[in-house]
Amino acid sequence: MIPDIKKIIYTTDFSENARHAFGYAVSLASRYGAGITFLNVLEDMSPYRDSLMINVLGQDKWEELLKNNRENLLEKAKENIKTFCDEVSAKIPACAFITDDIVVRIGEPVEEILDLVESSNCDLLVMGSHGRGTLADKLMGSTSRRVLRRCKKPVLLIRLPE
């Protein structure tokens, strides 16, 4: 059976690896007539920092500041993705792609990626892998490795060429 790829999720952290992986997502989307959902996950602030700021500013002021900053961060990340899409479209006009959605979330990257994959019913997840090496991956754990282990959909991991 040949898979029918109609919906691709592409994750980006705006790194060089993510930009390189984007070429694969665009190529596949163009060949299959698939739409791409862009996902960027911003890591949430630490609870320690939250409790420290609550003590300094008070609960209400801190929550208001967090809410305003989160909204600004989410909008800025969406603008970055739109700009990135426009740049790629201008550089490779022959490789057209459809942007289904731009999703920016705040949380733990692995959990947010897996949640979107499950809820969107995508056909393929495309993401870059930093490929820091076996020892670094074991000590730090890589997002791509953890997603690959747990994802129920096909995952295309792209490493930078040597």
Side-chain angles (χ1 to χ4, degrees):
M1 183 175 129
I2 297 174
D4 192 22
I5 300 172
K6 291 296 176 197
K7 187 168 188 141
I8 297 170
I9 293 178
Y10 159 73
T11 64
T12 183
D13 59 2
F14 303 108
S15 67
E16 187 179 351
N17 294 69
R19 287 180 176 273
H20 183 68
F22 184 63
Y24 286 84
V26 168
S27 176
L28 287 167
S30 180
R31 289 178 192 216
Y32 286 95
I36 301 175
T37 295
F38 295 82
L39 173 63
N40 176 247
V41 180
L42 306 169
E43 289 197 57
D44 208 354
M45 294 179 119
S46 73
Y48 171 75
R49 188 178 306 160
D50 284 352
S51 63
L52 180 67
M53 294 308 290
I54 288 169
N55 288 337
V56 172
L57 298 173
Q59 182 76 33
D60 293 339
K61 288 259 188 209
W62 179 239
E63 285 179 11
E64 182 182 336
L65 185 63
L66 270 180
K67 181 182 177 219
N68 291 337
N69 282 338
R70 284 177 188 228
E71 289 171 3
N72 290 338
L73 278 172
L74 295 173
E75 279 308 308
K76 184 65 177 165
K78 283 185 180 183
E79 288 173 21
N80 287 343
I81 292 172
K82 287 177 188 172
T83 301
F84 180 64
C85 289
D86 293 342
E87 288 172 5
V88 171
S89 294
K91 286 181 184 175
I92 318 169
C95 203
F97 62 92
I98 300 163
T99 300
D100 280 344
D101 199 5
I102 295 175
V103 179
V104 180
R105 294 185 175 179
I106 297 175
E108 200 286 312
V110 173
E111 298 306 321
E112 295 298 333
I113 291 167
L114 293 172
D115 180 62
L116 183 63
V117 167
E118 282 294 313
S119 66
S120 71
N121 197 26
C122 73
D123 301 305
L124 178 68
L125 172 65
V126 177
M127 61 190 304
S129 174
H130 292 287
R132 291 185 176 101
T134 308
L135 180 60
D137 281 350
K138 286 184 180 174
L139 292 174
M140 298 169 26
S142 79
T143 299
S144 57
R145 181 178 294 225
R146 290 172 30 223
V147 167
L148 183 61
R149 263 191 248 132
R150 294 178 48 201
C151 192
K152 295 176 183 170
K153 298 286 184 168
V155 179
L156 177 60
L157 287 179
I158 309 297
R159 290 183 69 177
L160 276 176
E162 303 268 337

Coordinates of all heavy atoms in Angstrom, one line a residue, residues 70-147:
R70 N 3.0 36.4 27.1 CA 2.7 35.2 26.3 C 2.1 35.5 25.0 O 2.4 35.0 23.9 CB 1.8 34.2 27.1 CG 2.6 33.5 28.2 CD 1.7 32.6 29.0 NE 2.4 32.1 30.1 CZ 2.4 30.8 30.4 NH1 1.7 29.9 29.8 NH2 3.1 30.4 31.5
E71 N 1.1 36.4 25.0 CA 0.4 36.9 23.8 C 1.4 37.5 22.8 O 1.3 37.2 21.6 CB -0.7 37.8 24.2 CG -1.9 37.2 24.9 CD -3.0 38.1 25.4 OE1 -2.8 39.4 25.2 OE2 -3.9 37.7 26.0
N72 N 2.3 38.3 23.3 CA 3.3 38.9 22.5 C 4.2 37.9 21.9 O 4.6 38.0 20.7 CB 4.1 40.0 23.2 CG 3.2 41.2 23.5 OD1 2.2 41.5 22.9 ND2 3.6 42.0 24.6
L73 N 4.7 37.0 22.7 CA 5.6 35.9 22.2 C 4.9 35.1 21.2 O 5.5 34.7 20.1 CB 6.0 35.0 23.4 CG 7.1 35.5 24.3 CD1 7.3 34.5 25.5 CD2 8.4 35.5 23.5
L74 N 3.6 34.7 21.4 CA 2.9 33.9 20.4 C 2.8 34.6 19.1 O 3.0 34.0 18.0 CB 1.6 33.4 21.0 CG 1.6 32.5 22.2 CD1 0.2 32.3 22.7 CD2 2.2 31.2 21.9
E75 N 2.4 35.9 19.1 CA 2.3 36.6 17.9 C 3.6 36.8 17.2 O 3.7 36.7 15.9 CB 1.7 38.0 18.2 CG 0.2 38.0 18.3 CD -0.6 37.3 17.2 OE1 -0.3 37.7 16.0 OE2 -1.4 36.4 17.4
K76 N 4.7 37.1 17.9 CA 6.0 37.2 17.3 C 6.4 35.9 16.6 O 7.0 35.9 15.5 CB 7.0 37.6 18.4 CG 8.4 37.9 17.8 CD 8.4 39.1 16.9 CE 9.8 39.4 16.4 NZ 9.9 40.3 15.3
A77 N 6.2 34.8 17.3 CA 6.6 33.5 16.7 C 5.8 33.2 15.4 O 6.3 32.7 14.4 CB 6.4 32.4 17.7
K78 N 4.5 33.5 15.4 CA 3.7 33.4 14.2 C 4.2 34.3 13.1 O 4.3 33.8 11.9 CB 2.2 33.7 14.5 CG 1.5 32.5 15.2 CD 0.0 32.8 15.4 CE -0.6 31.7 16.1 NZ -2.1 31.9 16.3
E79 N 4.5 35.5 13.4 CA 5.1 36.4 12.4 C 6.4 35.9 11.8 O 6.6 35.9 10.6 CB 5.3 37.8 13.0 CG 4.1 38.6 13.3 CD 4.3 39.8 14.0 OE1 5.5 40.4 14.0 OE2 3.4 40.3 14.6
N80 N 7.3 35.3 12.7 CA 8.5 34.7 12.2 C 8.3 33.6 11.3 O 9.0 33.4 10.2 CB 9.3 34.2 13.4 CG 10.0 35.3 14.2 OD1 10.1 36.5 13.7 ND2 10.4 35.0 15.4
I81 N 7.3 32.7 11.6 CA 7.0 31.6 10.7 C 6.4 32.1 9.3 O 6.8 31.6 8.3 CB 6.0 30.6 11.3 CG1 6.7 29.9 12.5 CG2 5.5 29.6 10.3 CD1 5.8 29.1 13.4
K82 N 5.5 33.1 9.4 CA 5.0 33.7 8.1 C 6.1 34.3 7.3 O 6.2 34.0 6.0 CB 3.9 34.7 8.4 CG 2.6 34.2 8.9 CD 1.7 35.3 9.3 CE 0.4 34.7 10.0 NZ -0.5 35.7 10.5
T83 N 7.0 35.0 7.9 CA 8.2 35.6 7.2 C 9.0 34.5 6.6 O 9.4 34.5 5.4 CB 9.0 36.4 8.1 OG1 8.2 37.5 8.6 CG2 10.2 37.0 7.4
F84 N 9.3 33.4 7.3 CA 10.1 32.3 6.9 C 9.4 31.6 5.6 O 10.1 31.3 4.6 CB 10.2 31.3 8.0 CG 11.0 30.1 7.7 CD1 12.3 30.1 7.3 CD2 10.4 28.8 7.8 CE1 13.0 29.0 7.0 CE2 11.1 27.7 7.5 CZ 12.4 27.8 7.1
C85 N 8.1 31.4 5.7 CA 7.3 30.8 4.6 C 7.5 31.7 3.3 O 7.7 31.2 2.2 CB 5.9 30.7 4.9 SG 5.5 29.4 6.1
D86 N 7.3 33.0 3.5 CA 7.4 34.0 2.4 C 8.8 33.9 1.8 O 8.9 33.9 0.5 CB 7.1 35.4 2.8 CG 5.6 35.6 3.2 OD1 4.8 34.7 2.8 OD2 5.3 36.6 3.9
E87 N 9.9 33.8 2.6 CA 11.2 33.8 2.1 C 11.4 32.5 1.3 O 12.0 32.6 0.2 CB 12.2 33.8 3.3 CG 12.4 35.1 3.9 CD 13.2 35.0 5.2 OE1 13.8 34.0 5.5 OE2 13.3 36.1 5.9
V88 N 11.0 31.4 1.8 CA 11.1 30.1 1.1 C 10.3 30.1 -0.3 O 10.8 29.7 -1.3 CB 10.7 28.9 1.9 CG1 10.7 27.6 1.1 CG2 11.7 28.8 3.1
S89 N 9.1 30.6 -0.2 CA 8.3 30.7 -1.4 C 9.0 31.6 -2.5 O 8.9 31.2 -3.7 CB 6.9 31.3 -1.1 OG 6.2 30.4 -0.3
A90 N 9.6 32.6 -2.1 CA 10.3 33.5 -3.0 C 11.5 32.9 -3.6 O 11.8 33.0 -4.8 CB 10.7 34.8 -2.3
K91 N 12.2 32.1 -2.8 CA 13.5 31.4 -3.3 C 13.2 30.2 -4.2 O 14.0 29.9 -5.0 CB 14.3 31.0 -2.1 CG 15.0 32.1 -1.3 CD 15.8 31.5 -0.2 CE 16.4 32.7 0.6 NZ 17.1 32.2 1.8
I92 N 12.1 29.5 -3.9 CA 11.8 28.3 -4.7 C 10.3 28.4 -5.2 O 9.4 27.7 -4.8 CB 11.9 27.0 -3.8 CG1 13.1 27.1 -2.9 CG2 11.9 25.8 -4.6 CD1 13.2 26.0 -1.8
P93 N 10.1 29.3 -6.2 CA 8.7 29.4 -6.7 C 8.2 28.2 -7.3 O 6.9 28.0 -7.4 CB 8.8 30.6 -7.7 CG 10.3 30.7 -8.0 CD 11.0 30.1 -6.9
A94 N 9.0 27.3 -7.9 CA 8.6 26.1 -8.5 C 8.1 25.0 -7.5 O 7.4 24.1 -7.9 CB 9.7 25.5 -9.4
C95 N 8.4 25.2 -6.3 CA 8.0 24.2 -5.2 C 7.0 24.8 -4.3 O 7.2 25.2 -3.2 CB 9.3 23.8 -4.4 SG 9.1 22.2 -3.6
A96 N 5.8 24.9 -4.9 CA 4.7 25.5 -4.1 C 4.2 24.6 -3.0 O 4.2 23.4 -3.1 CB 3.5 25.8 -5.1
F97 N 3.7 25.2 -1.9 CA 3.2 24.5 -0.8 C 2.0 25.2 -0.2 O 1.9 26.5 -0.3 CB 4.2 24.2 0.3 CG 4.8 25.4 0.9 CD1 4.3 25.9 2.1 CD2 5.9 26.0 0.4 CE1 4.8 27.0 2.7 CE2 6.5 27.1 1.0 CZ 5.9 27.6 2.1
I98 N 1.1 24.5 0.5 CA 0.0 25.1 1.1 C 0.2 25.1 2.6 O 0.5 24.1 3.2 CB -1.3 24.2 0.8 CG1 -1.5 24.2 -0.7 CG2 -2.5 24.8 1.5 CD1 -2.5 23.0 -1.1
T99 N 0.0 26.3 3.2 CA 0.1 26.4 4.6 C -1.3 26.1 5.2 O -2.2 26.9 5.0 CB 0.6 27.8 5.1 OG1 1.9 28.0 4.5 CG2 0.6 27.9 6.6
D100 N -1.5 25.0 5.9 CA -2.8 24.7 6.5 C -3.0 25.5 7.8 O -4.0 26.1 8.0 CB -2.8 23.2 6.9 CG -3.2 22.3 5.8 OD1 -3.6 22.8 4.7 OD2 -2.9 21.1 5.9
D101 N -1.9 25.6 8.6 CA -2.1 26.3 9.8 C -0.7 26.7 10.4 O 0.3 26.0 10.0 CB -2.8 25.4 10.8 CG -3.4 26.2 12.0 OD1 -3.3 27.5 12.0 OD2 -4.0 25.6 12.9
I102 N -0.7 27.7 11.2 CA 0.5 28.0 12.0 C 0.2 27.9 13.4 O -0.7 28.6 13.9 CB 1.0 29.4 11.6 CG1 1.5 29.5 10.1 CG2 2.2 29.8 12.5 CD1 1.9 30.9 9.7
V103 N 0.8 27.0 14.1 CA 0.5 26.8 15.5 C 1.7 27.1 16.4 O 2.8 26.6 16.1 CB 0.1 25.3 15.8 CG1 -0.2 25.0 17.2 CG2 -1.0 24.9 14.9
V104 N 1.5 27.9 17.4 CA 2.6 28.2 18.4 C 2.0 27.9 19.7 O 0.9 28.3 20.1 CB 3.0 29.7 18.3 CG1 4.1 30.0 19.3 CG2 3.5 30.1 16.9
R105 N 2.8 27.1 20.5 CA 2.3 26.7 21.8 C 3.4 27.0 22.8 O 4.6 27.0 22.5 CB 2.0 25.2 21.8 CG 0.8 24.8 21.0 CD 0.4 23.4 21.1 NE -0.8 23.1 20.4 CZ -1.3 21.9 20.4 NH1 -0.7 20.9 21.1 NH2 -2.4 21.6 19.8
I106 N 3.0 27.1 24.0 CA 4.0 27.2 25.1 C 3.8 26.0 26.0 O 2.7 25.6 26.4 CB 3.7 28.5 26.0 CG1 3.8 29.7 25.1 CG2 4.6 28.5 27.2 CD1 3.5 31.0 25.8
G107 N 5.0 25.3 26.3 CA 4.9 24.1 27.1 C 6.2 23.3 26.9 O 7.2 23.8 26.4
E108 N 6.1 22.0 27.2 CA 7.2 21.1 27.0 C 7.2 20.6 25.6 O 6.1 20.1 25.1 CB 7.0 20.0 28.0 CG 8.3 19.2 28.3 CD 8.7 18.3 27.1 OE1 7.8 17.5 26.6 OE2 9.9 18.3 26.7
P109 N 8.2 20.8 24.8 CA 8.2 20.5 23.3 C 7.7 19.1 22.9 O 6.9 19.0 22.0 CB 9.6 20.8 22.9 CG 10.2 21.8 23.8 CD 9.5 21.4 25.2
V110 N 8.2 18.1 23.6 CA 7.8 16.7 23.2 C 6.3 16.6 23.4 O 5.7 16.0 22.5 CB 8.6 15.7 24.0 CG1 8.1 14.3 23.7 CG2 10.1 15.8 23.7
E111 N 5.8 17.0 24.5 CA 4.4 16.8 24.8 C 3.5 17.6 23.8 O 2.5 17.1 23.3 CB 4.1 17.2 26.2 CG 4.8 16.3 27.3 CD 4.5 14.8 27.1 OE1 3.4 14.4 26.8 OE2 5.5 14.0 27.3
E112 N 3.9 18.8 23.5 CA 3.2 19.6 22.6 C 3.2 19.1 21.2 O 2.2 19.1 20.5 CB 3.7 21.1 22.7 CG 3.5 21.8 24.0 CD 2.0 21.9 24.4 OE1 1.1 22.0 23.6 OE2 1.8 22.0 25.6
I113 N 4.3 18.6 20.8 CA 4.4 18.0 19.4 C 3.5 16.8 19.3 O 2.7 16.7 18.4 CB 5.9 17.6 19.1 CG1 6.7 18.9 18.9 CG2 5.9 16.8 17.8 CD1 8.2 18.7 18.9
L114 N 3.6 15.9 20.3 CA 2.8 14.7 20.3 C 1.3 15.0 20.4 O 0.5 14.3 19.7 CB 3.2 13.7 21.4 CG 4.6 13.1 21.2 CD1 5.0 12.4 22.5 CD2 4.7 12.2 20.0
D115 N 1.0 16.0 21.2 CA -0.4 16.4 21.3 C -1.0 16.9 19.9 O -2.1 16.5 19.5 CB -0.6 17.5 22.4 CG -2.0 17.9 22.5 OD1 -2.9 17.1 22.9 OD2 -2.3 19.1 22.2
L116 N -0.2 17.7 19.2 CA -0.7 18.2 17.9 C -0.8 17.1 16.9 O -1.8 17.0 16.1 CB 0.2 19.3 17.4 CG -0.3 20.0 16.1 CD1 -1.7 20.6 16.3 CD2 0.7 20.9 15.6
V117 N 0.2 16.2 16.9 CA 0.1 15.0 16.0 C -1.1 14.2 16.2 O -1.8 13.9 15.3 CB 1.4 14.1 16.1 CG1 1.2 12.8 15.4 CG2 2.6 14.9 15.6
E118 N -1.5 13.9 17.5 CA -2.7 13.2 17.8 C -3.9 13.9 17.4 O -4.8 13.3 16.8 CB -2.7 12.9 19.3 CG -1.8 11.7 19.7 CD -2.2 10.4 19.2 OE1 -3.4 10.1 19.2 OE2 -1.3 9.7 18.6
S119 N -4.0 15.2 17.8 CA -5.3 15.9 17.6 C -5.5 16.3 16.1 O -6.6 16.6 15.7 CB -5.3 17.2 18.5 OG -4.3 18.1 18.1
S120 N -4.5 16.4 15.3 CA -4.6 16.9 13.9 C -4.8 15.8 12.9 O -5.2 16.1 11.8 CB -3.4 17.7 13.5 OG -2.3 16.8 13.3
N121 N -4.6 14.5 13.3 CA -4.7 13.4 12.4 C -3.8 13.6 11.1 O -4.3 13.4 10.0 CB -6.2 13.2 12.0 CG -6.4 11.8 11.4 OD1 -5.6 10.9 11.7 ND2 -7.4 11.7 10.5
C122 N -2.6 14.0 11.4 CA -1.7 14.2 10.2 C -1.2 12.9 9.7 O -1.4 11.8 10.3 CB -0.5 15.1 10.7 SG 0.7 14.2 11.8
D123 N -0.6 13.0 8.5 CA 0.0 11.8 7.9 C 1.5 11.6 8.1 O 2.0 10.5 8.0 CB -0.3 11.8 6.4 CG -1.8 11.9 6.1 OD1 -2.5 11.1 6.5 OD2 -2.2 12.9 5.4
L124 N 2.2 12.7 8.4 CA 3.6 12.7 8.5 C 4.1 13.8 9.4 O 3.5 15.0 9.3 CB 4.3 12.8 7.2 CG 5.8 12.8 7.1 CD1 6.4 11.5 7.5 CD2 6.2 13.1 5.6
L125 N 5.1 13.6 10.2 CA 5.7 14.6 11.0 C 7.1 14.8 10.5 O 7.9 13.8 10.3 CB 5.8 14.2 12.5 CG 6.6 15.1 13.4 CD1 6.0 16.5 13.5 CD2 6.7 14.5 14.8
V126 N 7.5 16.0 10.2 CA 8.9 16.3 9.7 C 9.5 17.2 10.7 O 9.0 18.3 11.0 CB 8.9 17.0 8.3 CG1 10.3 17.3 7.8 CG2 8.2 16.1 7.3
M127 N 10.7 16.8 11.1 CA 11.5 17.7 12.1 C 13.0 17.5 11.9 O 13.4 16.5 11.4 CB 11.0 17.4 13.5 CG 11.3 16.0 14.0 SD 10.5 15.6 15.6 CE 11.2 16.8 16.7
G128 N 13.7 18.5 12.2 CA 15.2 18.5 12.2 C 15.7 17.8 13.5 O 15.1 17.8 14.5
S129 N 16.9 17.2 13.3 CA 17.5 16.6 14.5 C 18.9 17.2 14.6 O 19.7 17.3 13.6 CB 17.6 15.1 14.3 OG 18.4 14.5 15.3
H130 N 19.3 17.6 15.8 CA 20.6 18.3 16.0 C 21.7 17.3 15.8 O 22.8 17.6 15.4 CB 20.6 19.0 17.3 CG 19.7 20.1 17.4 ND1 20.0 21.3 16.7 CD2 18.6 20.3 18.0 CE1 19.0 22.2 17.0 NE2 18.1 21.6 17.7
G131 N 21.5 16.0 16.2 CA 22.5 15.0 16.0 C 23.8 15.3 16.7 O 24.9 15.3 16.1
R132 N 23.7 15.7 18.0 CA 24.9 16.1 18.7 C 25.8 14.9 19.0 O 27.0 15.1 19.4 CB 24.5 16.7 20.1 CG 23.8 18.0 19.9 CD 23.5 18.6 21.3 NE 22.9 19.9 21.1 CZ 21.6 20.2 21.2 NH1 20.8 19.3 21.5 NH2 21.2 21.4 21.1
G133 N 25.3 13.7 18.9 CA 26.2 12.5 19.1 C 25.5 11.7 20.2 O 24.7 12.1 20.9
T134 N 26.0 10.4 20.2 CA 25.3 9.4 21.1 C 25.4 9.8 22.6 O 24.5 9.7 23.3 CB 26.0 8.1 20.9 OG1 26.0 7.8 19.5 CG2 25.3 7.0 21.6
L135 N 26.6 10.2 23.0 CA 26.8 10.5 24.4 C 25.9 11.7 24.9 O 25.2 11.7 25.9 CB 28.2 10.8 24.8 CG 28.5 11.1 26.2 CD1 28.1 10.0 27.1 CD2 30.0 11.4 26.4
A136 N 25.9 12.8 24.1 CA 25.1 14.0 24.4 C 23.6 13.6 24.4 O 22.9 14.1 25.2 CB 25.4 15.1 23.4
D137 N 23.2 12.8 23.4 CA 21.8 12.5 23.3 C 21.4 11.7 24.6 O 20.3 11.9 25.1 CB 21.5 11.6 22.1 CG 21.4 12.5 20.8 OD1 21.3 13.7 21.0 OD2 21.3 11.9 19.8
K138 N 22.2 10.8 25.1 CA 21.9 10.0 26.2 C 21.9 10.8 27.5 O 21.1 10.6 28.4 CB 22.9 8.8 26.4 CG 22.6 7.8 25.4 CD 23.5 6.6 25.5 CE 23.1 5.6 24.5 NZ 23.9 4.4 24.4
L139 N 22.8 11.8 27.6 CA 22.9 12.6 28.8 C 21.7 13.6 28.8 O 21.1 13.8 29.8 CB 24.2 13.3 28.9 CG 25.4 12.5 29.1 CD1 26.7 13.3 29.1 CD2 25.3 11.8 30.5
M140 N 21.5 14.3 27.7 CA 20.5 15.4 27.6 C 19.2 14.9 27.2 O 18.2 15.5 27.5 CB 21.0 16.5 26.7 CG 22.3 17.1 27.2 SD 23.1 18.2 26.0 CE 21.9 18.7 24.9
G141 N 19.2 13.9 26.4 CA 17.9 13.4 25.7 C 17.5 14.4 24.7 O 17.5 15.6 24.9
S142 N 17.3 14.0 23.5 CA 17.0 14.9 22.4 C 15.5 14.9 22.2 O 14.8 13.9 22.3 CB 17.7 14.6 21.2 OG 17.1 13.6 20.5
T143 N 14.9 16.1 21.9 CA 13.5 16.2 21.6 C 13.1 15.3 20.4 O 12.2 14.5 20.5 CB 13.2 17.7 21.2 OG1 13.5 18.5 22.3 CG2 11.7 17.8 20.8
S144 N 13.9 15.3 19.4 CA 13.6 14.4 18.2 C 13.6 12.9 18.6 O 12.7 12.2 18.1 CB 14.5 14.7 17.0 OG 15.8 14.5 17.4
R145 N 14.5 12.5 19.3 CA 14.6 11.1 19.7 C 13.4 10.7 20.6 O 12.8 9.7 20.4 CB 15.9 10.8 20.5 CG 16.1 9.4 20.9 CD 17.4 9.2 21.6 NE 18.4 9.4 20.6 CZ 19.5 8.6 20.5 NH1 19.6 7.6 21.3 NH2 20.3 8.9 19.6
R146 N 13.0 11.6 21.5 CA 11.9 11.3 22.4 C 10.6 11.3 21.6 O 9.7 10.5 21.8 CB 11.9 12.3 23.6 CG 13.0 12.0 24.5 CD 13.3 13.0 25.6 NE 12.1 13.7 26.1 CZ 12.2 15.0 26.4 NH1 13.2 15.7 26.2 NH2 11.1 15.6 26.9
V147 N 10.5 12.2 20.6 CA 9.3 12.2 19.8 C 9.2 11.0 18.9 O 8.2 10.3 18.8 CB 9.2 13.5 18.9 CG1 8.2 13.4 17.8 CG2 9.0 14.7 19.7

